[in-house]
Amino acid sequence: MKDSPQPTKRRRYDAPFRAEALRLAGESRSTQAAARALNISPKLLYKWQKEALTPVAAARGADLDPATAAELRQLRALSRRQAQELAILKKAIAIFSQTDDL
C-alpha cells in the first residue's frame, strides 16, 4: 500500500498581518493584486474583507490591539450616552410641544 501524503498544515495569520493586508487591499485598485503581493489567496483576503464589515468582527476584542480595543470601548460608551441624550431630548420636545388650552 502506498503511503498517503501528509496533509498540509494551514498557515495561520495573526491580527496585525490581517490588518496590514486589509489596509493594502483598501489602498490597492485590485484585491487580487494585493493578495498576489502578499502571497496569499484572493479568496482569503475577500473573506477577511467581508468579516471586517460585519459587527461580529468589531465585537471580537481579542483580535484587536489594546489601543484599538480601548478606543472601541470609549466610542461605544459615547454612543450609548448620546443615544440616551437623544431620547431625553425627544421626550422634552414632546412635553413642551403640547399646548395647554386653559
Side-chain angles (χ1 to χ4, degrees):
M1 184 183 273
K2 290 185 177 181
D3 291 337
S4 61
Q6 293 290 332
T8 58
K9 291 185 178 182
R10 289 187 184 183
R11 184 169 174 199
R12 296 198 180 253
Y13 300 97
D14 57 354
F17 180 84
R18 287 183 183 198
E20 181 64 22
L22 290 173
R23 186 194 61 78
L24 183 63
E27 292 176 356
S28 176
R29 279 195 250 152
S30 167
T31 301
Q32 290 184 351
R36 278 193 303 270
L38 295 168
N39 198 25
I40 61 173
S41 167
K43 287 183 180 183
L44 183 60
L45 190 52
Y46 283 122
K47 179 183 170 193
W48 291 347
Q49 287 175 329
K50 184 178 178 182
E51 287 176 353
L53 295 176
T54 61
V56 174
R60 291 186 312 204
D63 292 345
L64 301 176
D65 61 277
T68 305
E71 183 181 9
L72 181 59
R73 284 191 302 274
Q74 183 182 13
L75 290 172
R76 285 182 177 166
L78 178 63
S79 176
R80 282 191 301 271
R81 181 177 176 184
Q82 288 177 342
Q84 289 173 345
E85 290 175 357
L86 183 61
I88 291 168
L89 289 173
K90 284 181 180 180
K91 289 177 185 178
I93 289 172
I95 291 170
F96 289 117
S97 65
Q98 295 174 350
T99 58
D100 292 322
D101 294 325
L102 295 175

